[in-house]
Amino acid sequence: MSAQWLRRNDVIPVLFGIACLLAFFVLIEILVASGKINPFIVPKPSEIVTSFGRIIADENVLSRFFVTCGEALAASLMLAVTGIGLGVLLHRLRLLRLATETWVAAMASAPLVLMYPLFLVLFGRSVWTVIMIGFVAALPPVVLKTLEGLSGTRAVLINVGRSFNLTPSQLYWKILFPSALPTIFVGVRLGMIFALINIVGVEFLINFGGLGQLVNELSERYDLPGTFAAICFVILVSVVFFMATERIERWLRPGT
Amino acid sequence: MASADSILVVEDIVKRFETPDGVLTAVDHVSFDVAPGEFLAVIGPSGCGKSTLFNVIGGLLDGYDGRVSVAGETVSGPHPSIGMIFQEESTFPWRTVIDNVAFPLEIAGMGKSERYDKARHFVGLVGLDGFERRYPSELSGGMRQRVSMARTLASEPKILLMDEPFAALDEQTRLLLGDKVLQIQQDLKQTTLLITHNLTEAVQLSDRILVMTYRPGKTKRIVDIKLPRPRTSEIVGSDAFGHYVAQIWNDLREEASKGLKDDEQRVARAGAVRK
């Protein structure tokens, strides 16, 4: 394995990342084993690893993983359509933007998950309560980033479009939108993180659905290694969605 | 004034802007005309209204007095006969070189294979063969500016309007790209209007040079450049070239000094307000 091969395949950063993670686990293992960290608060990483098999076999973690993935996917699709749509609308209608931008920004920091009783009344104890809370809580960053991306399009690119006599619709779809895509995707990624936090949070609170419910049940049983193993699956959902958006962005907006 | 065979006529243009300090006249009664195939440069110090004039002629700015016409037709907005090349980097980063150049053809509704064939021709014309599938982020500043040029040329404008297209490039690249412009202008008989503040660039490329005064921007003088064509950048070493540069600098020096003094006064005023 030559040094050139390592450089070309970007292997070193990946290996370094994995090594850092392993070193962290070893450190925690030592600290817990030596009693520096209370084992009733943080389990040993080795116990978490061995509990994976148990929660896969006994707790149906894979089907719960797909339930949470499905909820996150539904919320993300609704986010992309509605959030980007609202961002475009606010960009086009200046009066509406001036009237609502501050409110949308304020909504981004509101703990909407605490409104789950209202959603329970509206949608019942169903998957729609979980999806809708995830969707509503994640909407502001997508709207605001879409607006920021469209407003931040360089004037010279718009002038190029105007010099070629583009119609307003062509100007939007051929120049403004592709130019804004990287910023829009930052918003979509942020929104997905917001959505996933709220989805798992609501599943935990109403004891319904996928991984959030499992984390709730395992923690109620004081099964700490199982709880942490289930949280690893929540992180896996986040990683899968993050990688998927990166692929979609590269496909939609090559050259960056 | 405008002769019957002029393709571009600029008549008595006045453009004013409202500023916090009052009304600023950026362009003041500027008139000139350009014959088909001619290369005219407009030169002046920073702040003399060159870019305002560029935007007026390109149809990107309205609310001015006077008239701009192309082949007798009044310009009231971007005109299909005018192709514009901007000072700032203006390639589309999400499109490859070939897709950037094919952009105006795609807008015109040309079929895929036909527009790629045509775009390939213009990519070759600016010397970027082999870079068709590259993205702008993979190219140098000079190459990106050539992509912009090829994209504008692909729309086959009757008049090429350039606003300091090489301003961000180093002197050597600028001279070599000047050669490219000269060659293209010669091959396509392209009518060109160049807005610049660079003396050597103006003399190297032009048939005539319009010298503008510092604020408000008026026509100070129009100089005929009687250097032989076809030209290359080697012309910069000739006595005649030096003579023209010196002659135009004589006109420009006074205007550039006014601009410098104006800047110093503005900075001093701003400092006084802060105190």
Side-chain angles (χ1 to χ4, degrees), chain A residues 154 156-157 159-166 170 174-176 178-179 252-256, chain B residues 59-60 78-80 84 86 88-94 103-104 106-107 135 137 151 155:
Chain A
R154 289 195 296 132
V156 70
L157 297 186
N159 279 339
V160 169
R162 289 178 65 201
S163 77
F164 287 129
N165 277 294
L166 263 63
Q170 284 173 324
K174 300 278 183 189
I175 294 179
L176 278 156
S179 161
L252 283 173
R253 176 64 150 81
T256 47
Chain B
L60 299 180
H79 195 280
M84 301 174 80
F86 297 85
E88 302 100 313
E89 207 280 285
S90 69
T91 53
F92 300 132
W94 58 91
F103 181 75
E106 182 185 319
I107 296 301
Y135 284 96
S137 59
R151 182 179 60 193
S155 66

Side-chain angles (χ1 to χ4, degrees), chain B residues 192-217:
Chain B
T192 309
L193 178 62
L194 170 73
I195 308 283
T196 184
H197 64 253
N198 187 293
L199 264 169
T200 51
E201 185 177 83
V203 177
Q204 179 196 358
L205 303 175
S206 311
D207 296 310
R208 283 190 300 154
I209 297 176
L210 184 151
V211 183
M212 283 181 79
T213 61
Y214 178 70
R215 213 168 278 172

Side-chain angles (χ1 to χ4, degrees), chain A residues 240-254:
Chain A
V240 167
F241 274 77
F242 195 85
M243 286 169 75
T245 48
E246 261 194 342
R247 282 285 167 94
I248 296 169
E249 184 184 359
R250 241 178 274 155
W251 173 63
L252 283 173
R253 176 64 150 81

Side-chain angles (χ1 to χ4, degrees), chain A residues 120-131:
Chain A
L120 277 175
V121 171
L122 289 172
F123 300 101
R125 193 167 170 270
S126 72
V127 74
W128 282 106
T129 291
V130 179
I131 293 171

